[in-house]
Structure formats: C-alpha cells, structure tokens
Amino acid sequence: MELNTNIPLPLQRLYQWEQSRPSDIYMTQPMGGDIVQDYTWQRTAQEVRRMATYLKSLNLPADAKVGILSKNCSYWIMADLAIWMAGYVSVPLYPTLNAETVGKILEHSETKVLLIGKLDDWNMMKDGIPADMNCISTALSPDDVKVKYPQWDDIVAKNAPMQESPTRKHDELATIVYTSGSTGMPKGVMLSFGAMVAAGNGAADANGLTKDDRMLSYLPLAHVFERYAVEMTSLDKGFRLFFAESLDTFLKDLQRATPTMFISVPRLWLKFQAGVVGKLPQKKLDKLLKIPGVSFLIRKKILKGLGLNHVRLAASGSAPLSEDIINWYRRLGLELLEGYGMSENFAYSHIMKPGRVRVGYVGEPLPGVQQRISADGEIQIKSPGTMMGYYKEPEKTAETFTDDGFLKTGDRGEIDEMGRLKITGRTKEIFKTSKGKYVAPAPIENKLVSHSDVEMVCVAGVEQPQPYALLMLSEGTWPKRNTPEVRERLEKELPELIKSVNATLDPHEHLQFVVVVKDQWTIENAFLTPTMKMKRNVIEDQYKSQVEGWYAARKKVIFE
C-alpha cells in the first residue's frame, strides 16, 4: 500500500510542538514516593536533542540499531525520538523477557547501544546483555544498572543540543518490533516511519482525539498497540501523557491522570469490577442503579473512584471480553470497545465504533484498511500500517503476503452485514479429535470465560474422543480455590455451564469435562506471552501427563 507522505513524521511533530507550545506539559513521570516530574515540550525536545548528540558521537554505522529495554516511562519516549533524530533504528525489547531471549534479539538485530530503563526483574535478563554492549541507564533504572552504566541525566548535562532538526523519510525503516514469540524465536517486524504515522494519525482522527486529551501509558510500549495508540497519537495531536509507577500505585496514578481515553486488558477490567463489588455488593448496586437520580450519582462516584470519570473512549484488547463484563460497564456509562490488530500491521486494523458494538466481534476496519475472508476462511488485511517485512527473513516475509499484497493473518473469521469482523480462531490452533473431526478452540473458550470465577480458558483434546477445557480461576477466586464454599459453588455451576455451552456447539465439539487448574498462568512463568496471550503449547505440555487420568475419571468437573 502506497504511503501517504503528507502526514508529518514524529520528529516533525516534536519540532512543531517545541516551537508552538514550548511550556505545555507533554509527559508526567512518577519518580517514586510522591515525587512527580513534568516534561514540557521544550524540555522533552531539549533532552532528545542532547541525547541525539551523544548517540551521534559514538560513530555508529548509518543504519545502526539502538535498543530500548524498559517499562513505560518518559525516558522510553525520549529515547525513541533521540534514536530517530540521530539517524538510527529503534529496537524495543519487552521488559519481561528472560536472558536467553534478550540475548537472541540483541544478536539478531545487531543492536549497538542499549538503553536500560525501568525494570522489575533485572536479574532475570541481565545475563543476556553482552559484556561489551554500550549501555545507558536512567534515574529509574535498577541501582546496579545506574552504577555500571552512564546515566541519561548526566549524558544530557554534558552534551550540547543538536542544533539542526533532522527529518526522516516516510519509506525509511524506523523500528524493528520483535513479536511476542508464543513459539520459538520472535520475528523482527520492520516498520517504516510512514506506516507508523499513518496508523497514529488514522487512529487519532477516527477517535476524535485532540491536544486536550489525556492518556495513562502502562501497557508495554515495546508492543505495537501501545506504540501506535499512545506514542504515535500523542505526538500527532500533542496531548498529554501520564505514566504509572507500579501496580501498587496504579489507582493513584490513574486518578492523577484522569484520562479521557483509557485502554486496558480484560484482567484489569475484571479487577476494577471486583474492587467495586467488594465494597458495594452486586445486588445492592443493581438496586441503586434502578433508582432515578440515585443511579447517576452512583455511576459518577464509582467512575471517579476508579479515575475513569472523564473517560469518553474506553477500549480493551489482547483477549475477548465476556458479554457480562461489557454489560456491567455499560450500565456504569462506559461502552468498552474492542479492537483487533497485529504486529505485522502496527495494530492498525479494526476497532468497534461507539453505538455499533456487537458482542463477540472486534469491530470495523479503521480508515484506509481493507478486509476480506479467503476461500479457506482466513482473514486477510491490507493496512496503511503494514510492515516492510521480517528482518533478515525474506522467505517468511513472502509467505506472509498474498500475490496482491494482503497480509495473511493466520486468523479465521467472519464479516457481518455491517462490516464488523468476528475472530473464530487461529488457523494453526484448530485440532483434530480421535474421531477425525476438527475443533476450533477460540469460540468455545469465549463462551466459557463468561463465568465470573473464570479468567482464562484453554480448550484442548488432540486425538481424544471429545474436547476438554482447562480453566484458570480469576485473581479474586484463585486464592480461595480450596475452600469448601468455592469448591461447592464451582461443582454446582460448572456442569450447568458445560451444558449450556454444549447446547450451542456441534456434537463433535461438546466438552467432556473441565479442569480447574491450580496454577495462575502468567508472563513470568512463561504460560503467557508479554502481550498476555496464551502459549497453548506450553499450557498443554504442562498438563499432558494427567490427561488420560482425567478422561478415565468420567467427571464433569475436575480440580487439579
């Protein structure tokens, strides 16, 4: 797809806001305790210019790769801009990777310099960084990183700001984003400046964003979604960004930001709901919401307590939301919008439109996006945000596109009469039972996750007579999983859930049983990718030794 060269690039926007709004605050960064640091557009640009001077002084090759290993913070955004200003390519790394993967990505990308910023588990990844790697620390880095490597603030103080205002070209390589890597070595997705700004500008305009909006940045900037929906849109429109300090301070950080647009994942939406219901039982809340006048005050109080009282656009991604949770928030006045995208198109693909939400669907194509379903049911997309290809992998790049330039997503789907897309599963996730019948797990999982005690579901059953489901309990229920009260409730409710779900399925898809697992599937224990997607192969391997015993038990509900 031809790039629109009329859209200003990130550096052009930085120069624009530096000149026209120098004293306006762009970023607000918690520094620990009650200390908060504000970055005006002028300060942001000055620090970016000084860091760019330093990077240029290292005499790196013209297209050098510079890595960013950090949780979201002001330094992350400034590092990205400084790398581009110096003429280089940024390579973000997830702040939850293990040492082996860090090492592989740094080697594959040929990264020359690495910014090591805010991290929760430095010890897990430090062995993956070559001893001779040129690294930069920040005021938010782990203490031993700050001791070992030069600090951002010191570098900025010692280097003069770059006087010229370099620009890049729309068709130039801007960044290499390594995919989550649910299996094997992550692939390096090459994105041009033109693709990145087309996505950012398109999303900002489609959602009516302006310089007066506010967002809290906490989903990983190393992932394309936060990069396009937060970094690119904020630069495009010049609105204010806030950052979160930690999970413990998240509510305070959210209340400080009072965002007008808030994007989250199902786990956090569920956590918010559990917090509200913990203070105001659901039956009482239901009664209050039916009383005219009182319902308005209750909704306002709940949303204000969550820091969401100014939100006009709320979205969720990474996994499907149940109809129950969508309806619960809708009653509070928040219409949760779901979307769809991939690293390969910079997540610029689909989003639900207010007033046009259909539960189970991921939305309509964003401006400039074309969609179609192939003869074998695969979703194929052509987007302004489409990648240049996989770094150093021309054969895999060629395999990923059709002859006429559509991206093969690997997802199966359907399109309704209003153009809304429904994901019905992954092409590679479909498995065959011992009866020779094929089962698509995703639609069944989406039905099971509607139970309030269930957070994640993995449907399996390769070469078994019927499928079964592994259930991971929600964060609130999991600690109480062995109490008689919870056991009795689940033993009563889950068979009814199986029955109701099976009634909607073809006979060969009927679940024989469900297993309540004792584990919590997390990024840290490698059950989930850094973007919270299940690693099916890891999950199925974890429990495969028990599967035959589960079938032999002939129970509807099994507690691991």
Side-chain angles (χ1 to χ4, degrees):
M1 184 172 285
E2 193 170 322
L3 296 171
N4 182 354
T5 57
N6 294 319
I7 305 173
L9 297 177
L11 288 174
Q12 292 173 291
R13 286 300 196 196
L14 177 68
Y15 307 146
Q16 177 184 344
W17 307 131
E18 177 189 26
Q19 291 296 316
S20 64
R21 298 166 52 202
S23 59
D24 286 1
I25 296 172
Y26 174 36
M27 298 182 290
T28 295
Q29 175 66 57
M31 301 301 292
D34 295 322
I35 302 172
V36 174
Q37 199 166 93
D38 287 330
Y39 289 81
T40 62
W41 282 106
Q42 184 176 52
R43 178 180 176 181
T44 300
Q46 277 292 303
E47 296 206 14
V48 168
R49 289 180 180 278
R50 291 169 184 269
M51 182 54 65
T53 297
Y54 171 74
L55 292 174
K56 287 290 283 185
S57 74
L58 300 177
N59 296 315
L60 305 176
D63 63 346
K65 314 303 184 292
V66 179
I68 306 174
L69 176 59
S70 175
K71 294 177 69 176
N72 298 15
C73 61
S74 57
Y75 296 106
W76 206 111
I77 301 284
M78 291 190 292
D80 211 16
L81 291 166
I83 293 164
W84 292 336
M85 190 180 288
Y88 305 135
V89 176
S90 61
V91 180
L93 289 85
Y94 286 95
T96 55
L97 297 176
N98 59 34
E100 182 184 5
T101 307
V102 168
K104 285 180 178 178
I105 291 174
L106 293 177
E107 180 182 3
H108 185 265
S109 62
E110 300 176 62
T111 290
K112 304 297 183 186
V113 180
L114 180 65
L115 175 101
I116 304 172
K118 184 179 180 182
L119 296 168
D120 288 336
D121 196 347
W122 166 240
N123 289 330
M124 179 179 72
M125 54 190 68
K126 65 181 182 182
D127 290 341
I129 298 169
D132 60 349
M133 176 70 71
N134 192 335
C135 296
I136 300 166
S137 67
T138 75
L140 299 173
S141 301
D143 288 341
D144 50 344
V145 174
K146 286 187 279 191
V147 170
K148 187 173 183 180
Y149 302 113
Q151 263 204 59
W152 176 288
D153 293 345
D154 294 335
I155 292 171
V156 163
K158 293 174 183 175
N159 285 271
M162 186 177 283
Q163 292 304 307
E164 64 268 32
S165 296
T167 57
R168 305 293 292 270
K169 295 178 181 177
H170 284 73
D171 61 357
E172 268 189 277
L173 175 62
T175 192
I176 302 174
V177 178
Y178 281 82
T179 57
S180 302
S182 56
T183 57
M185 171 66 190
K187 297 187 291 290
V189 173
M190 298 188 293
L191 293 162
S192 68
F193 285 104
M196 294 180 78
V197 297
N201 178 261
D205 286 351
N207 292 304
L209 300 181
T210 72
K211 68 178 181 63
D212 298 318
D213 279 296
R214 298 178 301 278
M215 291 187 73
L216 179 71
S217 176
Y218 68 98
L219 298 176
L221 275 164
H223 183 244
V224 290
F225 183 74
E226 186 85 349
R227 196 99 172 274
Y228 114 83
V230 177
E231 183 189 29
M232 287 298 109
T233 57
S234 68
L235 286 166
D236 186 66
K237 299 303 178 187
F239 61 75
R240 189 168 174 181
L241 289 186
F242 292 78
F243 295 96
E245 182 178 349
S246 67
L247 276 176
D248 292 338
T249 66
F250 188 82
L251 193 56
K252 184 173 74 172
D253 297 326
L254 191 54
Q255 290 167 339
R256 177 192 297 118
T258 59
T260 56
M261 181 176 178
F262 184 68
I263 304 164
S264 192
V265 293
R267 173 171 283 195
L268 194 55
W269 289 117
L270 286 164
K271 193 170 184 177
F272 282 167
Q273 182 194 37
V276 171
V277 173
K279 294 177 181 178
L280 184 61
Q282 190 62 52
K283 286 185 179 180
K284 187 174 181 180
L285 177 59
D286 290 340
K287 288 180 180 178
L288 293 172
L289 290 176
K290 291 176 182 177
I291 303 172
V294 173
S295 61
F296 170 79
L297 295 173
I298 289 294
R299 286 196 296 268
K300 185 177 179 181
K301 184 177 181 180
I302 290 173
L303 292 177
K304 186 175 182 180
L306 294 173
L308 303 177
N309 50 311
H310 291 281
V311 170
R312 59 181 178 79
L313 194 65
S316 182
S318 88
L321 283 169
S322 70
E323 186 171 1
D324 289 345
I325 195 79
I326 289 173
N327 290 335
W328 190 86
Y329 278 99
R330 187 176 286 168
R331 292 180 69 198
L332 293 181
L334 278 185
E335 185 173 32
L336 299 188
L337 307 177
E338 295 187 87
Y340 170 70
M342 302 175 65
S343 297
E344 287 81 355
N345 55 28
F346 200 46
Y348 188 74
S349 185
H350 289 68
I351 193 169
M352 274 293 179
K353 294 181 179 178
R356 293 165 66 91
V357 171
R358 181 176 179 184
V359 175
Y361 285 68
V362 293
E364 303 169 49
L366 281 155
V369 173
Q370 300 173 46
Q371 63 176 353
R372 71 186 185 193
I373 306 296
S374 70
D376 61 354
E378 183 185 40
I379 302 164
Q380 296 179 349
I381 304 292
K382 191 178 281 189
S383 163
T386 299
M387 68 174 180
M388 301 167 75
Y390 294 120
Y391 188 53
K392 297 181 179 177
E393 298 189 85
E395 291 182 3
K396 284 186 179 178
T397 299
E399 292 169 3
T400 306
F401 289 95
T402 63
D403 292 340
D404 57 349
F406 276 77
L407 177 70
K408 299 176 184 177
T409 66
D411 289 318
R412 300 173 67 85
E414 303 167 358
I415 300 170
D416 73 3
E417 70 286 351
M418 292 175 67
R420 294 174 297 200
L421 178 67
K422 181 178 184 178
I423 311 297
T424 58
R426 288 287 292 170
T427 303
K428 293 178 181 177
E429 286 176 357
I430 294 173
F431 61 85
K432 189 191 291 186
T433 65
S434 60
K435 298 174 182 176
K437 297 284 189 177
Y438 287 96
V439 176
I444 305 173
E445 291 163 355
N446 294 347
K447 296 173 190 289
L448 291 168
V449 82
S450 64
H451 193 284
S452 60
D453 289 315
V454 176
E455 185 168 324
M456 288 188 181
V457 178
C458 182
V459 169
V462 177
E463 295 302 323
Q464 297 293 345
Q466 292 292 143
Y468 66 94
L470 299 163
L471 310 184
M472 187 194 88
L473 296 176
S474 64
E475 192 175 29
T477 305
W478 181 76
K480 300 176 284 188
R481 64 193 183 283
N482 291 323
T483 63
E485 178 189 356
V486 169
R487 286 254 180 161
E488 288 171 12
R489 183 174 76 247
L490 292 177
E491 285 174 346
K492 178 182 178 182
E493 295 178 0
L494 290 179
E496 290 299 317
L497 179 63
I498 295 170
K499 184 177 179 181
S500 64
V501 169
N502 283 348
T504 68
L505 304 174
D506 290 334
H508 71 277
E509 299 173 307
H510 285 185
L511 295 167
Q512 187 156 328
F513 57 86
V514 298
V515 180
V516 178
V517 301
K518 63 184 178 184
D519 304 296
Q520 281 272 287
W521 303 335
T522 66
I523 296 169
E524 290 72 24
N525 62 21
F527 283 100
L528 305 181
T529 71
T531 53
M532 303 289 288
K533 292 183 175 66
M534 290 189 300
K535 294 184 179 180
R536 289 183 182 275
N537 60 322
V538 173
I539 291 172
E540 291 182 26
D541 285 349
Q542 173 71 15
Y543 306 105
K544 66 180 180 182
S545 63
Q546 304 177 67
V547 172
E548 293 303 325
W550 291 340
Y551 277 96
R554 296 186 176 277
K555 293 181 179 179
K556 284 294 182 186
V557 180
I558 296 168
F559 290 86
E560 189 199 8

